[in-house]
Amino acid sequence: MMMHQQAPIEEIITDQSTLIEALEVMKEYKFWSDSTLEGYQSDAQCFENFLCDRGLDPTLQNGRLDYVQKWIKEQKDGGVSASTMKRRTTALSSLFSFYRDLGIVGKNPFKVITLPVGQAGHHSPILTLDQLREVYQYAEGLQKEGHPAAMTIKALIFTGLRNEALSSLTVKSIHVDKKWLKYERAYINSKNKVQIIPLPPKLLSELQAHIHMHHLQADDLLLLD
């Protein structure tokens, strides 16, 4: 009895495929919950609508930096919150990173885009213990789905580093023998800022598993898209 063999993803999706088509195929390779998938579909549809409104095909090929920049500006002018824009951009960045790694698209414009910051004078509220616990549980759920953002959220919770610092960490920032994370930043005046942050055993173990699972080398960025 012959078994039906599914065609390779590279034969199903091309740069002429729509974002929703690409997302539907991508989901077969992800352990997403229904709510995560629905969120990604909504965010992809938002960008597709933007392209269609301008007479453009909503394809991977039209995920161009200039179009993405105009999409971000339209959202900002329309009063969309910075957090919503960030969520949408993150979702589409995951989509384009997936197909970039497969060689189907050449670039991921959503990764390099600069988002407008929130209104000046307003800061993120300090989370209560219960709220922090909810964020951690959310990260645990993402981790079970194999989503790389899980480790970013956990690193944020336990290190207190800001996004700029987290995004610059490399594998060699983790010192397993000393059970700490070393963050070092060079400034223009040649002075260095060094932070030594002890890591809880569970987080250290999960970071080691994360490094092993993604086959990361010493100079690779520690936290993925």
Side-chain angles (χ1 to χ4, degrees):
M1 180 178 177
M2 294 183 62
M3 296 182 63
H4 175 70
Q5 186 174 7
Q6 184 179 2
I9 189 172
E10 294 87 349
E11 295 180 8
I12 301 174
I13 298 298
T14 70
D15 63 355
Q16 298 300 313
S17 300
T18 67
L19 303 182
I20 294 298
E21 289 172 343
L23 190 61
E24 284 298 306
V25 173
M26 177 182 171
K27 75 178 183 182
E28 301 301 325
Y29 299 85
K30 300 291 182 179
F31 296 96
W32 289 337
S33 65
D34 290 341
S35 60
T36 298
L37 176 59
E38 289 173 3
Y40 274 40
Q41 288 171 330
S42 175
D43 296 333
Q45 188 66 62
C46 181
F47 187 56
E48 279 203 355
N49 292 343
F50 168 83
L51 293 173
C52 290
D53 288 345
R54 281 149 188 77
L56 299 167
D57 293 328
T59 60
L60 291 172
Q61 184 183 48
N62 279 330
R64 292 174 18 182
L65 183 60
D66 54 337
Y67 294 158
V68 175
Q69 184 67 57
K70 291 176 182 177
W71 179 55
I72 295 297
K73 184 178 185 303
E74 180 182 88
Q75 293 179 81
K76 181 177 182 296
D77 293 344
V80 176
S81 69
S83 60
T84 296
M85 284 187 279
K86 180 175 177 58
R87 190 204 69 228
R88 290 172 175 173
T89 303
T90 299
L92 286 159
S93 180
S94 295
L95 176 68
F96 274 77
S97 285
F98 180 79
Y99 286 105
R100 179 199 60 198
D101 291 345
L102 290 172
I104 293 173
V105 297
K107 300 176 182 178
N108 177 6
F110 295 93
K111 187 174 183 179
V112 300
I113 200 71
T114 299
L115 294 174
V117 297
Q119 186 176 354
H122 288 70
H123 302 279
S124 299
I126 297 175
L127 298 182
T128 65
L129 184 58
D130 286 340
Q131 290 172 327
L132 196 59
R133 186 179 294 112
E134 288 179 7
V135 173
Y136 183 81
Q137 290 173 346
Y138 175 71
E140 288 276 271
L142 289 179
Q143 191 166 358
K144 290 178 181 178
E145 297 171 9
H147 199 297
M151 289 313 306
T152 302
I153 295 173
K154 288 188 175 184
L156 177 64
I157 292 173
F158 286 105
T159 67
L161 292 174
R162 296 187 177 185
N163 184 60
E164 179 184 0
L166 288 175
S167 62
S168 67
L169 294 176
T170 62
V171 172
K172 63 185 179 185
S173 301
I174 303 296
H175 294 255
V176 176
D177 56 335
K178 297 182 174 64
K179 300 180 181 179
W180 71 35
L181 178 152
K182 181 179 180 181
Y183 170 60
E184 185 170 2
R185 178 180 176 183
Y187 289 86
I188 296 175
N189 61 5
S190 76
K191 293 183 178 179
N192 286 349
K193 176 181 179 181
V194 178
Q195 288 179 263
I196 301 297
I197 303 171
L199 296 175
K202 186 174 187 296
L203 179 62
L204 180 60
S205 176
E206 290 179 347
L207 284 170
Q208 288 179 274
H210 167 80
I211 292 168
H212 178 74
M213 180 174 66
H214 294 285
H215 308 289
L216 301 179
Q217 304 302 312
D219 291 321
D220 290 339
L221 291 176
L222 177 64
L223 302 172
L224 308 176
D225 293 339

